Amino acid sequence: MALSKLSNLYRQVIMDHAKHPHNNQPLPQADHEIELRNPTCGDVLTVQLKIQDDKIIDVAYTGTGCTISQASASMMTDQIKGKTTAEVEKMVLGFSDMVLGKEVPDMERLLGEAAILQSVAQFPARIKCATLAWKAAYQAIEESENDD
Amino acid sequence: MDKKMNDLLEDFPILKEMINDEKLVYLDNAATTQKPKQVLDTIRYYYEHDNANVHRGVHTLAERATKQYEQVREKVVNFIGGNDPHEVVYTKGTTEALNWVAAGYGATHVHAGDEIVVSYMEHHSNIVPWQQLAAKVGAKLKYITLTADGQLDLESAKHVITDKTVLVSLCHASNVLGVVNPIKEVAQLAHQHGAIMVVDGAQAVPHMRVNVQKLGADFYAFSGHKMLGPTGIGVLWGKKELLAGMRPLEFGGEMIANVGLYHTDFKEPPYKFEGGTQNIAGVVGLGAAIDYLTEVGLDNVTAHEKSLSKYVLPKLQKIPGIEIYGPSDPDIRTGVLSFNLTGIHPHDLASALDMDGVAVRAGHHCAQPLMKYLGVGATARASFYLYNTKADADLFINAILEAKEFFSNGSF
Ligand SMILES: Cc1ncc(COP(=O)(O)O)c(C=O)c1O
C-alpha cells in the first residue's frame, strides 16, 4: 500500500536501466575521467569521456550504487553521447534543477528519457544519488576545457 | 516491569508523528535519539525562569544558572561512575571530546615513533583525530583486527599494543556491529605497556550502566543527543592528573584565572577547557536526560533492548538473502543491527522502509574503514532504544519483506 508511493520513484524504466545499465564498462579510448563519491553512502562512480572537437564521441561509466544512481548514470550516458560539450553542460544544469524540483524549460527535449527522474524531486534524500553521474560528466568536461 | 518502562511512550510526542501517512517507527537511535517531554520542559523552564550567563554575574539569576550548570556535572559524574565532578568537561559532543584529547593531550604527550592504537570498528571521530595527530608528531597509527563474527579480537590487541604504544582509543559499543568491547581487558593491556586508555562511549552511555573507574578508562567521551538529551552538548571525562596536563583549545573568557598583557594563567580543570559562553541550556537538558534515564533505570533499558534484539534478530535471520553484520548470538548484541539484502542497495531499502514510516539509516555510518574491512560499500542499520516496541519490530520486519517483494518482482 505505502509502497505504491515508491513506484512513483522506481518507475519500470528506471528499474530496467538499473538492472541492465547501458555503457557500464571501462572506456579504454577515454581521454577524460572523473571519479566521484556519494559522501552519504560511500558509493563510487567513475565517468569516462572521449571528447573530440568539443563533442562527446563516447562515454561510459563504472562503479556500483543504488538503483537511482545506476539508472541515472545509465541514462546520462545514453543522453549525452554525440552532444557538444556546451549542450551537455546545459543538460547537467537542467537535470540538477529538475531533481531539485525547479521548473526546467523544454525539459523532455533537453534530457530525453532521463526526464523521468523528475520523480526524484519528491525524495530529497535521493537527490545526491541521481546527480552523481551528471556531476562527474560535468567535471570531466570542465577538465577538458581547461586543457585547451 | 518498572512503571516508567510501560508508559514512557507518552513521554515522546514525536513518536505520534505521521511519516508518509504511516505512524513513525523510529529506528535510527544510533544516529540520534528522540527527546522526552521532561527534557524539553526542563530546557524551556530554564529559559523561562533561570537563564543567565554562568560564573559571571553576582546577581541572583546568574547564581541560579551557575548552580544548575555545576549540579549537572555532579549528575554526570555519578551517572558514569566517576568520583570528582571536576573530572567532567563539557564539550559539544563525542567528536569534540576526542578531538580535544588528540590535540590537547596527544600533541604534547605523543612523540615521533610512538604508537597510537585504535580498532577497525571505529567511528570516523575516533580515527581522523588520531590520523591528524600521528601525521603531526610523526607517530604511527595501528589497528586491532576483528574476529570473523565482528568482535574485537583480543589476541590481535595483545600483538598490536606494545611498549611503543602510548595511547589506545576504542569505542565502548560499536555503532555498526552491535557489540560491546572488553574495555577493561584492553585497558589493563594498555596500562601494562604504559599507555593510556581513551574510550568513545557514544553508543554505550545511553544504553548500559557505565563505570569509568571500573573500566580503567583514562578518558571517556560521550554525546548528550544519543541519550535523550539535546544536541550540542557532550562530555569528556578525564582523570584529574591527565586533564591537568592537557592543553585547552579554546582561549578567551571563562577559562582564565588571570590575564596579563603578554601572559595568561588558566583556571584549573575543567574550567580551563570551557572557554567562552557555554551551551548552558544544553547542560541543563543533559541533566534532565540523566534524570530520566536514572528513573527508568539503565539496567531496564539494557534489558529492554536485549529483549527486542532477541525478538527481532531471529526474524531478520530468516529473511532469504540477508547478511547481518556482527555476532549472530543476540545475547552478546546491543540494539544496533546492520545488514544487507542481496540485490537491494541499502539506499533503496531505506527509501522503501521510509514509505512505511520506518526510519533506518543507510550508508557507511561514518565507519568507512570498517565497511572496507567487511567488504561492503554500505549497509542498512536499524537501532532500537527504550521507546521501541515489539510492534515496531514487527512493522520493521514487514516493511523489509514488502520492500524485498517490490524490488525483486518489479511488478508495479
Ligand atoms: C561510536 C560513535 N562514536 C562517535 C560518534 C560521534 O558522536 P557526535 O556526532 O555526537 O560527536 C558517534 C555518533 O555518530 C558514534 O556512533
Side-chain angles (χ1 to χ4, degrees):
Chain A
M1 176 197 52
L3 291 187
S4 63
K5 275 173 267 158
L6 205 56
S7 29
N8 288 336
L9 177 58
Y10 296 98
R11 303 285 174 78
Q12 190 63 55
V13 195
I14 294 175
M15 298 296 268
D16 288 347
H17 269 278
K19 280 205 182 104
H20 309 285
H22 306 174
N23 308 304
N24 180 20
Q25 68 273 318
L27 188 66
Q29 71 272 31
D31 41 27
H32 291 91
E33 162 179 329
I34 292 284
E35 178 190 284
L36 279 189
R37 195 176 283 269
N38 184 346
T40 54
C41 60
D43 286 347
V44 187
L45 213 71
T46 302
V47 170
Q48 294 180 295
L49 297 177
K50 166 117 189 105
I51 303 176
Q52 224 163 49
D53 302 329
D54 290 333
K55 211 167 175 177
I56 313 296
I57 304 298
D58 209 351
V59 49
Y61 83 96
T62 50
T64 54
C66 63
T67 302
I68 303 302
S69 78
Q70 292 296 297
S72 185
S74 169
M75 290 179 186
M76 182 277 291
T77 57
D78 279 353
Q79 294 304 321
I80 73 167
K81 211 180 280 188
K83 300 269 181 7
T84 67
T85 52
E87 281 169 327
V88 175
E89 285 180 332
K90 217 172 138 211
M91 290 168 75
V92 175
L93 298 177
F95 183 86
S96 169
D97 280 349
M98 174 185 81
V99 295
L100 286 168
K102 292 187 200 154
E103 196 68 41
V104 178
D106 248 351
M107 188 176 79
E108 265 89 13
R109 229 191 45 214
L110 182 69
L111 298 174
E113 197 183 28
I116 197 164
L117 285 162
Q118 188 183 20
S119 56
V120 171
Q122 295 159 44
F123 294 80
R126 308 303 297 279
I127 292 170
K128 284 203 182 101
C129 313
T131 51
L132 194 63
W134 297 78
K135 267 194 200 145
Y138 191 90
Q139 290 185 15
I141 288 172
E142 274 194 323
E143 194 189 85
S144 79
E145 285 165 351
N146 290 340
D147 293 348
D148 302 340
Chain B
M1 183 168 283
D2 210 75
K3 159 209 155 274
K4 268 273 164 179
M5 214 63 201
N6 289 320
D7 40 48
L8 57 73
L9 291 189
E10 290 304 312
D11 295 337
F12 295 84
I14 204 171
L15 297 178
K16 296 204 174 74
E17 236 3 68
M18 300 300 282
I19 300 292
N20 299 311
D21 305 324
E22 309 284 333
K23 198 181 134 298
L24 168 65
V25 175
Y26 186 76
L27 299 179
D28 196 15
N29 293 290
T32 198
T33 60
Q34 301 304 343
K35 323 302 174 198
K37 276 192 255 176
Q38 288 82 341
V39 167
L40 304 175
D41 290 347
T42 303
I43 294 171
R44 186 180 182 90
Y45 187 93
Y46 165 76
Y47 274 128
E48 286 182 350
H49 298 276
D50 301 325
N51 177 51
N53 212 331
V54 297
H55 299 303
R56 288 190 188 180
V58 288
H59 57 79
T60 305
L61 218 47
E63 197 44 51
R64 287 223 295 258
T66 304
K67 194 169 160 202
Q68 290 185 48
Y69 186 77
E70 291 306 322
Q71 271 173 349
V72 174
R73 236 187 268 278
E74 284 172 33
K75 278 183 191 170
V76 169
V77 84
N78 290 332
F79 192 65
I80 58 172
N83 58 16
D84 183 350
H86 290 115
E87 294 183 328
V88 171
V89 182
Y90 294 130
T91 67
K92 92 181 141 90
T94 307
T95 303
E96 187 169 77
L98 293 170
N99 272 279
W100 281 5
V101 177
Y105 178 87
T108 47
H109 292 79
V110 179
H111 306 286
D114 288 348
E115 292 177 355
I116 301 165
V117 171
V118 297
S119 86
Y120 275 102
M121 68 168 85
E122 302 308 319
H123 188 277
H124 293 162
S125 63
N126 195 27
I127 297 175
V128 187
W130 309 121
Q131 286 175 347
Q132 296 291 316
L133 171 63
K136 188 173 166 191
V137 304
K140 191 171 165 198
L141 186 59
K142 288 166 72 181
Y143 286 81
I144 299 170
T145 57
L146 312 181
T147 62
D149 69 348
Q151 301 188 63
L152 191 86
D153 188 344
L154 269 177
E155 285 310 307
S156 162
K158 283 176 195 155
H159 289 114
V160 175
I161 299 171
T162 68
D163 284 341
K164 284 188 173 170
T165 308
V166 292
L167 187 152
V168 179
S169 189
L170 292 183
C171 59
H172 191 174
S174 162
N175 67 324
V176 177
L177 296 167
V179 293
V180 179
N181 285 327
I183 297 298
K184 202 171 163 178
E185 286 76 2
V186 179
Q188 268 166 11
L189 258 177
H191 293 153
Q192 278 162 18
H193 290 281
I196 65 158
M197 184 74 216
V198 182
V199 184
D200 164 4
Q203 298 294 343
V205 174
H207 306 282
M208 64 195 75
R209 198 185 282 277
V210 168
N211 186 308
V212 289
Q213 299 190 93
K214 283 194 187 145
L215 284 173
D218 295 296
F219 285 108
Y220 195 102
F222 60 99
S223 302
H225 70 96
K226 292 184 198 284
M227 50 180 286
L228 311 179
T231 51
I233 187 69
V235 166
L236 172 65
W237 175 89
K239 282 200 180 136
K240 206 179 215 161
E241 55 281 13
L242 296 181
L243 288 177
M246 177 168 142
R247 269 173 64 78
L249 286 142
E250 307 260 310
F251 302 97
E254 281 321 327
M255 50 82 64
I256 51 88
N258 177 46
V259 179
L261 282 181
Y262 305 106
H263 177 80
T264 290
D265 295 320
F266 306 139
K267 282 183 181 163
E268 294 297 309
Y271 305 105
K272 70 171 180 184
F273 300 106
E274 297 171 5
T277 299
Q278 296 293 298
N279 181 2
I280 308 164
V283 168
V284 169
L286 174 65
I290 290 176
D291 288 344
Y292 190 93
L293 285 170
T294 307
E295 200 189 329
V296 174
L298 254 298
D299 292 338
N300 290 329
V301 174
T302 312
H304 180 73
E305 289 173 15
K306 189 129 289 178
S307 79
L308 279 178
S309 100
K310 274 191 169 168
Y311 179 76
V312 77
L313 194 62
K315 292 183 197 288
L316 210 52
Q317 282 162 337
K318 272 201 208 101
I319 297 175
I322 197 158
E323 177 160 19
I324 303 165
Y325 304 98
S328 50
D329 176 3
D331 275 323
I332 52 171
R333 293 196 64 114
T334 65
V336 174
L337 291 164
S338 298
F339 59 96
N340 265 320
L341 280 173
T342 314
I344 307 180
H345 190 280
H347 248 170
D348 295 320
L349 183 67
S351 281
L353 298 196
D354 187 44
M355 289 301 112
D356 278 333
V358 179
V360 298
R361 174 96 182 256
H364 51 60
H365 317 295
C366 301
Q368 287 183 1
L370 174 59
M371 294 294 119
K372 204 171 243 177
Y373 192 83
L374 296 173
V376 296
T379 80
R381 177 186 73 190
S383 48
F384 292 80
Y385 203 19
L386 77 174
Y387 39 65
N388 292 122
T389 61
K390 282 193 175 152
D392 289 346
D394 288 335
L395 288 166
F396 163 64
I397 295 289
N398 284 341
I400 294 180
L401 294 174
E402 257 185 49
K404 200 166 143 58
E405 177 83 12
F406 181 91
F407 286 108
S408 44
N409 282 350
S411 57
F412 37 87

